[in-house]
Amino acid sequence: MSDTVSRRSALRLLGGSIAVAAAATGGLTPPARALDRPDAGAGPRVEGLVAKLTLDEKISLLHGATDPASLGQAGYVPGVKRLGIPPLRLADGPAGVRVTRHATALPAPVLLASAFDPQLARRYGQVIGREGRALGQDVLLSPMVNLIRTPYAGRNFETFSEDPLLASGLVAAEIKGIQGEGLIATVKHFALNTQEKDRDSIDVRVDEQTLHESELRAFEAAVDAGTGAVMGAYNKVNGTFSCENKTLLTDILREQWGFEGWVMTDWFAAHSTVKAITAGLDMEMPDGTHFGTALRTAVRNGSVPERYVDRAVRRLLAVMDRFGLLDGSAPPRPDRDARAGAAVALEIAKAGATLLRNERRTLPLSPGGSVAVVGPTGALPFVSGGGSAHVVPDHAGSPLDVIKSRAGSVTYTLGEDLFGKAIPASALSPAFDSEGQQVGAGASWTYDGTLTVSDAEEWTFVIHYSAVPTLRPKVLLDGADLFPLAPGYGEYFSGGLVSAAPDGLAVRRKTLSLTKGAHRLQITAQGGDAGQLFRLRRITAATRAQDVAEAVEVARAARDVVLFAYEDATEGLDRTTVALPGNQARLIEAVTAANPRTTVVLNTSSSTSMPWLSGTGAVLQMYYPGQEGAAATTAVLYGDCDPGGRLTQSFPVDDNHHPVAGDPRRYPGVGGIEEYSEGIHVGYRWYDAEGVRPLFPFGHGLSYTSFSYGDLAAHWTRQGLDVSFAVHNTGRREGIAVPQVYVGRSPELRLDQAVRVLGGYRRLALRAGARRRVTVRVDARTLSSWDPKRHDWVLGTGRRAVWVGASSGDLRVWTNVEVAR
């Protein structure tokens, strides 16, 4: 975990204690002002202000500062009161507005994307846009649109897809929703920030064709949609930090795409003054290390002409003017509508629910039957991942409680222990209350004794504590500190589930192998100003076996089992494997052996390997479903709605069979350099090119009914390719189909091309027996390749194959079409 990441989080989390805001009412109707369409540059008002501003005032607008009335948001720009330039407050918000007050905790963006529905993405943006303004914010630090390139990336749940076309349509729609409510959107992280490992220093090496055909396409769509701001990434691109990279910030963003908003850094991502501002960076966040005194000095000594400062200020003020922030024409701040936000959160969670497997008619469940619920996230709501995506929700129910309202009888068992069990008193000499040691304010407490282990085995020590991290009890085992403080402010950046116990105490863990016999245990705890409570627990092979045995017992006694599995991801930290953490694989194997009518519900951030798959009855992918996740999951389990989600990323079989497997130069990098040597073959394109079969392909998702496809026809026009076909619901109930159009290579291009690419898609709700003919437009850009010699797009002409199917691995019908200039 990097210092940079941690410092950013600390600034937010130290901003104040959580204040509960009363829910207010109001609609989600966009204001009359059309804020989702960019104006053509700065107008007279902006030019007049630039002329009146002093150098110090200009510079004060180009870097962050401390907010005197903070709501715990990420950033603040003070404005210039004497000229009527208001301050700006900038909040994180990939899945809802992140401040210290309540906001709607929406499903993770990857779950939104699974619905394959830009209209839902726009409504998702409307909720965030309205709530951001209601909560006093002006700028949203979202959406994130970096492609899912490696399954290990810790922020895959915060973004959309491995496919550039799908990501482009969704980010454009979400931005229009956000900005239509009067909140300025910030697309991020520009560019190639596709991993958390070494993200603040890694040098991403990528060729021009790959850059334009993969990562940049969605950023360009965001610019076309009118995004007010762009956030530069931490990493380097081809040897230069993104936030001082002229190729990215000026040549591509400004000159090729015509972007007229402003570019800010990610938090603490600036590395220079002269190079950054001349390359096209406009704002440093969250402080003025490089764009404060250093910039003033550079202007005065002539190393930075003042016109560069004026240019950056003009860009910022032009966006503020466009949103009515300079002349008072911005719509009044609305009230929060918690009920409307919750309704959208529920709808999206249901729409994105992705059924990966359903054998022996395991789902939907029959109301009134006996159900065993297994797993910690069955009883503990898993709302969101950690880091910037964390939101303080109005409420969040547990799946267990909602399932109880539908089932005839419900039994629950933990299955996988997240928080540890008490250390037996007999193992401690002298004995002490390891389950609830209270240390008074101003007092200190020490222990120096022996922990005796009966057999050599692996222990996971778990400490629960109520104090701030700097006062966390110090626990030494044989002289080694079990829970040292993370570097910098790393303590403030942890996962969204496993870092806090159900009663609110903070949690840290340490796993190590212990030899049989006595070990010296020393503990020192300080009460601080308010006192503290702490617990010291353990997880061992014996406690895990006990948990699994209890789960098997309840599974055998029930008609159906719903087993909730988790993986806790966070900004700042990559995963180390695609396998489920802890003892969950063994738990699933044991439970499914006891009861094959077991549905595994996955609350995971990204793709997951499933060596236990064949024993399951069903697998339902719910990612991080937001505050309404329990209701949405139960609705799908009981068939109240069709599982309408489809995978936006390929799921690999294991850690050895995916696009960056086995090549450390691709991930996580070697010697500080990461190579995109897979080229344009990102995601499913790599699986097709290499002939590797994924566990589940891109676009996969089952319905409770069945669909057939036919009558395919394709027609080329100068605007693109019109692909028409019929979809027939051949089952006995209404359901959701997501037909996908794929297009093959051009025989006339001498450039690297994918075997096939997604050309378009459509989300359809069809009644039982219904048949509908649809037309999907494949635009010319999708049919083109980037030619690095021409530095431009080239249409892929000639006879091209066209497929329509239910996923990239389930192509039902195909034809050929001639594409011409």
Side-chain angles (χ1 to χ4, degrees), residues 27-45:
L28 286 174
T29 304
R33 186 181 178 89
L35 298 177
D36 59 352
R37 294 192 299 273
D39 295 334
R45 182 181 299 107

Side-chain angles (χ1 to χ4, degrees), residues 190 237 240-255 275-276 278-281 308 311:
F190 193 59
V237 175
T240 303
F241 280 109
S242 295
C243 289
E244 56 188 37
N245 192 310
K246 182 179 179 294
T247 300
L248 289 176
L249 302 186
T250 296
D251 299 350
I252 294 174
L253 187 61
R254 303 285 180 183
E255 296 179 2
K275 186 174 182 179
T278 56
L281 182 69
Y308 285 104
R311 180 181 72 176

Side-chain angles (χ1 to χ4, degrees), residues 525-547:
Q526 305 295 330
D529 294 337
Q532 77 159 305
L533 172 71
F534 77 88
R535 297 186 285 259
L536 184 63
R537 293 180 171 179
R538 96 297 190 207
I539 301 171
T540 66
T543 67
R544 290 190 179 102
Q546 176 187 342
D547 291 335

Side-chain angles (χ1 to χ4, degrees), residues 411-422:
T411 54
Y412 173 74
T413 186
L414 188 61
E416 167 78 355
D417 190 356
L418 293 177
F419 303 110
K421 292 179 171 58

Side-chain angles (χ1 to χ4, degrees), residues 8-69:
R8 177 181 177 187
S9 180
L11 286 173
R12 291 191 296 263
L13 295 176
L14 295 176
S17 60
I18 295 175
V20 179
T25 60
L28 286 174
T29 304
R33 186 181 178 89
L35 298 177
D36 59 352
R37 294 192 299 273
D39 295 334
R45 182 181 299 107
V46 170
E47 295 300 341
L49 287 171
V50 173
K52 293 175 185 177
L53 286 164
T54 67
L55 177 61
D56 284 349
E57 287 171 337
K58 293 174 187 174
I59 289 174
S60 74
L61 294 171
L62 302 185
H63 63 81
T66 300
D67 186 353

Side-chain angles (χ1 to χ4, degrees), residues 8-270:
R8 177 181 177 187
S9 180
L11 286 173
R12 291 191 296 263
L13 295 176
L14 295 176
S17 60
I18 295 175
V20 179
T25 60
L28 286 174
T29 304
R33 186 181 178 89
L35 298 177
D36 59 352
R37 294 192 299 273
D39 295 334
R45 182 181 299 107
V46 170
E47 295 300 341
L49 287 171
V50 173
K52 293 175 185 177
L53 286 164
T54 67
L55 177 61
D56 284 349
E57 287 171 337
K58 293 174 187 174
I59 289 174
S60 74
L61 294 171
L62 302 185
H63 63 81
T66 300
D67 186 353
S70 175
L71 286 178
Q73 80 277 359
Y76 174 77
V77 177
V80 180
K81 188 174 182 180
R82 78 174 182 91
L83 294 176
I85 301 174
L88 292 177
R89 289 180 169 85
L90 303 85
D92 285 320
V97 183
R98 184 180 183 183
V99 293
T100 52
R101 292 185 182 174
H102 284 183
T104 301
L106 291 160
V110 70
L111 182 55
L112 164 69
S114 300
F116 278 66
D117 189 344
Q119 288 305 310
L120 271 182
R122 185 160 189 157
R123 293 174 60 204
Y124 187 97
Q126 286 174 338
V127 171
I128 299 175
R130 182 186 180 91
E131 293 201 349
R133 295 206 70 242
L135 291 167
Q137 305 304 300
D138 307 290
V139 182
L140 184 77
L141 304 174
S142 187
M144 175 180 173
V145 79
N146 301 103
L147 290 188
I148 296 175
R149 175 178 176 262
T150 166
Y152 305 123
R155 299 182 81 173
N156 280 349
F157 68 95
E158 286 190 59
T159 192
F160 297 120
S161 177
E162 68 188 21
D163 182 75
L165 176 70
L166 179 60
S168 297
L170 296 173
V171 74
E174 184 179 342
I175 286 171
K176 290 176 181 178
I178 293 165
Q179 297 194 157
E181 296 292 330
L183 191 68
I184 301 167
T186 307
V187 68
K188 64 184 186 183
H189 310 83
F190 193 59
L192 302 170
N193 182 183
T194 56
Q195 66 185 59
E196 296 299 280
K197 172 70 173 172
D198 300 325
R199 72 174 186 177
D200 56 350
S201 61
I202 196 74
D203 182 6
V204 179
R205 302 293 175 88
V206 61
D207 65 82
E208 188 177 325
Q209 182 184 1
T210 298
L211 180 65
H212 283 270
E213 290 190 26
S214 59
E215 178 93 348
L216 291 192
R217 183 164 184 185
F219 282 100
E220 184 179 6
V223 171
D224 289 343
T227 186
V230 170
M231 180 186 289
Y234 286 114
N235 51 278
K236 298 176 183 176
V237 175
N238 292 331
T240 303
F241 280 109
S242 295
C243 289
E244 56 188 37
N245 192 310
K246 182 179 179 294
T247 300
L248 289 176
L249 302 186
T250 296
D251 299 350
I252 294 174
L253 187 61
R254 303 285 180 183
E255 296 179 2
Q256 287 185 21
W257 298 347
F259 177 60
E260 294 180 337
W262 88 89
V263 177
M264 71 181 80
T265 67
D266 205 334
W267 268 226
F268 300 100

Side-chain angles (χ1 to χ4, degrees), residues 199-449:
R199 72 174 186 177
D200 56 350
S201 61
I202 196 74
D203 182 6
V204 179
R205 302 293 175 88
V206 61
D207 65 82
E208 188 177 325
Q209 182 184 1
T210 298
L211 180 65
H212 283 270
E213 290 190 26
S214 59
E215 178 93 348
L216 291 192
R217 183 164 184 185
F219 282 100
E220 184 179 6
V223 171
D224 289 343
T227 186
V230 170
M231 180 186 289
Y234 286 114
N235 51 278
K236 298 176 183 176
V237 175
N238 292 331
T240 303
F241 280 109
S242 295
C243 289
E244 56 188 37
N245 192 310
K246 182 179 179 294
T247 300
L248 289 176
L249 302 186
T250 296
D251 299 350
I252 294 174
L253 187 61
R254 303 285 180 183
E255 296 179 2
Q256 287 185 21
W257 298 347
F259 177 60
E260 294 180 337
W262 88 89
V263 177
M264 71 181 80
T265 67
D266 205 334
W267 268 226
F268 300 100
H271 294 271
S272 65
T273 300
V274 177
K275 186 174 182 179
I277 197 166
T278 56
L281 182 69
D282 303 309
M283 180 183 288
E284 177 187 12
M285 293 301 295
D287 61 17
T289 301
H290 299 281
F291 273 31
T293 301
L295 180 55
R296 182 186 304 109
T297 300
V299 171
R300 288 175 175 166
N301 68 24
S303 56
V304 171
E306 191 168 350
R307 69 177 183 274
Y308 285 104
V309 174
D310 291 347
R311 180 181 72 176
V313 171
R314 183 177 293 111
R315 290 167 174 172
L316 170 65
L317 294 181
V319 177
M320 294 179 69
D321 192 36
R322 170 182 150 201
F323 281 75
L325 299 177
L326 298 182
D327 64 355
S329 65
R333 291 192 184 273
D335 293 327
R336 270 198 72 216
D337 188 341
R339 182 175 297 179
V344 174
L346 176 62
E347 181 181 357
I348 291 171
K350 291 192 293 186
T354 307
L355 185 61
L356 301 179
R357 174 180 168 88
N358 193 18
E359 299 295 317
R360 301 179 295 276
R361 296 184 179 179
T362 299
L363 292 181
L365 301 177
S366 299
S370 63
V371 178
V373 177
V374 180
T377 51
L380 186 66
F382 200 162
V383 175
S384 67
S388 300
H390 179 70
V391 177
V392 182
D394 294 293
H395 68 272
S398 80
L400 176 62
D401 289 339
V402 184
I403 290 172
K404 283 180 178 178
S405 70
R406 303 295 300 272
S409 64
V410 177
T411 54
Y412 173 74
T413 186
L414 188 61
E416 167 78 355
D417 190 356
L418 293 177
F419 303 110
K421 292 179 171 58
I423 298 175
S426 60
L428 298 168
S429 180
F432 75 95
D433 184 9
S434 64
E435 272 297 280
Q437 191 63 49
Q438 185 74 51
V439 184
S444 62
W445 182 91
T446 60
Y447 175 86
D448 192 342

Side-chain angles (χ1 to χ4, degrees), residues 586-650:
R586 288 188 288 273
L587 170 67
I588 295 171
E589 288 167 355
V591 168
T592 54
N595 188 335
R597 290 187 59 80
T598 295
T599 297
V600 176
V601 178
L602 293 170
N603 291 131
T604 54
S605 69
S606 189
S607 55
T608 304
S609 62
M610 304 179 197
W612 36 263
L613 180 65
S614 61
T616 64
V619 178
L620 178 63
Q621 176 64 252
M622 291 300 298
Y623 298 105
Y624 301 153
Q627 68 180 49
E628 305 301 320
T633 301
T634 304
V636 175
L637 290 174
Y638 280 92
D640 301 346
C641 60
D642 205 39
R646 303 295 184 264
L647 291 182
T648 70
Q649 58 194 299
S650 309

